[in-house]
Amino acid sequence: MNHPIIPIAVLDASRQRKRQAPRGRRVDPIALAEVQQLLGTQSRQSDLLIEHLHKIQDRYGFLSSAHLAALAQEMRLAQTEVYEVASFYHHFDIVKEGEDAPAPLTVRVCDGLSCEMAGAQDLLARLPAMLGREVRVIAAPCIGRCEQAPAAVVGQNPVPNATCEKVVGTVAAHAVQHVPEGFVGLEDYVAHGGYALLAQCASGERDVEAVIKEMENAGLRGLGGAGFPTGRKWRIVRAEQGPRLMAVNIDEGEPGTFKDRFYLERDPHRFLEGMLIAAWAAGIAKIYIYLRDEYHGCRNLLQAELEKLRASPMAQGLPEIELRRGAGAYICGEESAMIESIEGKRGMPRLRPPYVAQVGLFGRPTLEHNLETLFWVRDILEKGGEWFGSHGRNGRKGLRSFSVSGRVKNPGVKLAPAGITIQELLDEHCGGMLDGHTFYAYLPGGASGGILPAAMNDIPLDFDTLQPYGCFIGSAAVMILSDQDTATAAARNMMRFFHHESCGQCTPCRVGTAKASHIIEQPHWDLPLLADLSLVMRDASICGLGQAAPNPVDCVIKYFPHELS
């Protein structure tokens, strides 16, 4: 059969028309106008993707397919890029065509270990019927309020020591957060000597080398969990070629940990001054603060205090500071995953080397710290490194902020000497156990730090002291179990958490946490299979989540075999 010959010019024109048509979902003009109005004059650079997704979620209560497509066009990103980021984070609700939007208000009930012990499951069972269809009630991983267990969040308003009646009352009242009692704002902070140390550094009265040496003499190590020497980190980053950046990690998602929130709610400028001194010492050009989305009240306070600081004479010559908002992903507590999130991507850990001190945020050398580490800088430099090192017990040096929760009379942040034992911490700082409860077991380092029996109550709590027992202190999140609890139930809670929070990038963690969680939910544990899983996860997982996830299970098998018989 003869076919008509189509001129080349016609074919080229047809191809051109096809190339001009956008691939994927066509953008709805109304949705595009709504997105443009929300973004206003703000930059459309790609690293702001998560910030812009929050704007849409806050305004409409969910992310529609139409708004995602419009945002992709407005930011000149592929729709798949926008969707994969939005679907990665727990706090974004994507609603596809034909699906119903979520209820106008969401109540999140924490089902972390401390909250579960305090009655979270009862709240989750009863609240849906009490609140009706206009309110969505969901379980949430640890929200950083373990000392207030059980804790819930109504919209963005926390409900400490929640009962059904308190949650219903908060829903009805449309509660608004207030400034915490004892909060120290900029004016009070300056009136008591705040930022004088920073001024000494900026004026040349203090020498960079002397400041770094003082930090090294103090022996301060990273208090986010990794424990890397602070002064050495400053020196390493300073030696890299500029421009150098800084990333402050306040994601604090480790179950049982709330110390950073505690300090941020009370004395934010002490942290900010420490941050700015660290930036000065390391020669930092720009600072990014990454704050977990669960800390909505802290974000409002911090934004307000940063604006005051920027407007003050002290801001002259300081590096630019950007506050970035997390979106509900425990993995972003890992430094390289946090950096990926700041860059507007899924929070997936990077392979190392290179380390973030060499190739970090936007490919630049990056100084990464958590809040509490920076909180101590002013005291150490004003009082001397020897002052900090003079504290400690059982051969250890320094001070630690222990986040204590569980079956104790007085939970909360306890400032105590490094090397204190769990029994000393209970007796001297927590008022002992709750009435009617006997000390049974403890988690010395949050969900991933392992579980030890009460009989092992004389181990110094500090870096490097717990590893011989298959545990570690991490961020010093201490959770106390009583004779009314079991270590197996705690391990199940932890492994469900790790399974939920695994980013899915590497097979050992993605499959291992799911498989381990399934096995330990059974009445009888397959111990040889759990041992194999533990070995593979420790040896082959990319980051600390998968490497440490077996700790609670391994500790139950080692120290609580009577619970498995």
Side-chain angles (χ1 to χ4, degrees):
M1 177 183 292
N2 293 328
H3 296 281
I5 298 175
I6 302 175
I8 296 296
V10 175
L11 285 174
D12 286 342
S14 175
R15 290 172 183 154
Q16 185 65 28
R17 284 194 298 272
K18 289 180 181 178
R19 281 196 294 269
Q20 288 174 349
R23 294 184 178 181
R25 176 182 299 277
R26 300 296 180 94
V27 175
D28 176 54
I30 296 176
L32 180 60
E34 290 171 341
V35 167
Q36 290 171 337
Q37 183 179 15
L38 277 175
L39 270 53
T41 60
Q42 288 197 331
S43 171
R44 270 61 167 170
Q45 62 198 50
S46 61
D47 60 285
L48 291 173
L49 174 57
I50 294 172
E51 296 294 309
H52 294 339
L53 287 168
H54 274 303
K55 289 181 177 66
I56 299 173
Q57 174 87 23
D58 290 346
R59 170 64 180 82
Y60 295 100
F62 60 93
L63 303 173
S64 69
S65 298
H67 282 138
L68 290 177
L71 182 62
Q73 178 169 309
E74 189 68 11
M75 298 187 71
R76 297 177 180 271
L77 296 171
Q79 292 184 25
T80 52
E81 292 180 80
V82 174
Y83 183 84
E84 72 177 10
V85 170
S87 60
F88 180 85
Y89 295 93
H90 303 316
H91 289 188
F92 293 136
D93 295 309
I94 299 176
V95 176
K96 300 176 182 178
E97 286 185 3
E99 293 182 343
D100 293 331
L105 181 65
T106 296
V107 172
R108 289 182 166 86
V109 177
C110 178
D111 65 354
L113 179 58
S114 295
C115 288
E116 185 174 79
M117 290 191 295
Q121 294 304 322
D122 181 62
L123 292 176
L124 286 165
R126 295 173 57 199
L127 281 173
M130 296 176 70
L131 294 173
R133 294 183 178 180
E134 291 301 303
V135 179
R136 177 178 59 163
V137 179
I138 59 175
C142 186
I143 60 175
R145 295 185 175 274
C146 314
E147 85 280 27
Q148 302 168 359
V153 180
V154 175
Q156 293 179 326
N157 297 292
V159 183
N161 306 116
T163 62
C164 288
E165 292 70 26
K166 286 179 70 173
V167 172
V168 171
T170 303
V171 170
H174 302 288
V176 177
Q177 286 186 330
H178 300 285
V179 176
E181 185 178 351
F183 179 77
V184 179
L186 178 61
E187 296 81 3
D188 289 340
Y189 184 74
V190 172
H192 291 84
Y195 290 109
L197 181 62
L198 177 63
Q200 293 171 9
C201 295
S203 67
E205 186 177 342
R206 294 230 180 199
D207 174 69
V208 170
E209 179 61 24
V211 165
I212 293 178
K213 280 187 176 179
E214 198 69 70
M215 295 301 299
E216 291 173 334
N217 292 339
L220 179 67
R221 296 171 64 172
L223 299 175
F228 193 87
T230 302
R232 190 194 309 173
K233 183 181 283 191
W234 293 8
R235 194 178 295 281
I236 290 170
V237 174
R238 183 177 178 82
E240 295 291 326
Q241 185 175 358
R244 296 173 287 273
L245 304 176
M246 185 173 184
V248 181
N249 192 338
I250 322 180
D251 194 59
E252 195 173 47
E254 180 72 19
T257 308
F258 47 88
K259 59 186 176 62
D260 287 354
R261 190 209 84 232
F262 176 86
Y263 288 128
L264 189 57
E265 286 179 337
R266 287 158 178 81
D267 199 359
H269 287 281
R270 187 171 295 271
F271 141 66
L272 290 172
E273 184 171 14
M275 176 189 77
L276 290 166
I277 291 169
W280 164 80
I284 299 300
K286 187 172 180 178
I287 301 170
Y288 292 83
I289 301 174
Y290 188 86
L291 179 64
R292 70 181 307 200
D293 194 36
E294 289 85 349
Y295 291 171
H296 176 70
C298 292
R299 186 170 63 254
N300 289 340
L301 292 173
L302 187 55
Q303 282 176 332
E305 294 304 314
L306 282 172
E307 288 173 6
K308 292 179 186 177
L309 182 61
R310 294 185 186 110
S312 73
M314 292 174 292
Q316 296 296 321
L318 297 181
E320 182 183 353
I321 303 170
E322 278 199 30
L323 179 59
R324 292 294 181 89
R325 180 178 173 185
Y330 166 71
I331 192 62
C332 291
E334 196 276 340
E335 62 178 6
S336 66
M338 174 195 65
I339 284 172
E340 289 284 299
S341 189
I342 293 174
E343 292 180 356
K345 306 171 189 173
R346 294 174 294 170
M348 289 190 166
R350 298 175 179 176
L351 291 170
R352 285 167 288 193
Y355 296 95
V356 299
Q358 302 159 319
V359 182
L361 191 55
F362 304 117
R364 302 307 311 160
T366 302
L367 178 64
E368 188 272 344
H369 274 308
N370 89 305
L371 184 146
E372 193 200 351
T373 308
L374 298 170
F375 192 86
W376 284 110
V377 170
R378 178 184 167 187
D379 274 335
I380 288 172
L381 295 180
E382 286 183 343
K383 300 175 183 178
E386 290 186 4
W387 164 83
F388 186 79
S390 68
H391 298 83
R393 291 188 188 175
N394 301 306
R396 313 305 297 179
K397 292 183 178 181
L399 290 164
R400 293 302 301 263
S401 301
F402 293 91
S403 303
V404 184
S405 63
R407 309 292 194 179
V408 296
K409 285 184 179 177
N410 302 315
V413 174
K414 311 298 179 180
L415 183 60
I420 193 172
T421 67
I422 189 64
Q423 194 63 57
E424 292 168 335
L425 189 65
L426 281 172
D427 295 341
E428 299 173 24
H429 296 270
C430 302
M433 299 292 292
L434 286 171
D435 292 338
H437 291 257
T438 301
F439 183 30
Y440 176 68
Y442 65 106
L443 287 79
S448 54
I451 310 174
L452 293 172
M456 300 173 66
N457 63 349
D458 58 351
I459 303 170
L461 299 178
D462 197 17
F463 294 114
D464 311 320
T465 61
L466 293 156
Q467 279 86 335
Y469 308 97
C471 300
F472 58 81
I473 193 169
S475 59
V478 177
M479 292 184 276
I480 305 296
L481 309 185
S482 79
D483 55 346
Q484 298 185 24
D485 309 303
T486 65
T488 52
R492 286 171 179 141
N493 182 287
M494 299 295 99
M495 194 56 73
R496 286 194 298 268
F497 173 82
F498 291 131
H499 177 211
H500 183 265
E501 295 297 321
S502 173
C503 75
Q505 179 179 194
C506 66
T507 302
C509 179
R510 181 183 67 250
V511 177
T513 54
K515 185 67 174 177
S517 183
H518 174 74
I519 293 172
I520 67 174
E521 292 291 348
Q522 308 308 311
H524 302 287
W525 292 8
D526 187 334
L527 299 186
L529 182 53
L530 284 171
D532 287 345
L533 281 171
S534 176
L535 180 64
V536 171
M537 291 171 70
R538 293 181 189 281
D539 288 348
S541 295
I542 289 174
C543 81
L545 191 159
Q547 294 162 11
N551 283 345
V553 175
D554 289 350
C555 283
V556 168
I557 296 170
K558 183 176 182 180
Y559 298 115
F560 303 89
H562 57 280
E563 292 191 16
L564 303 177
S565 58

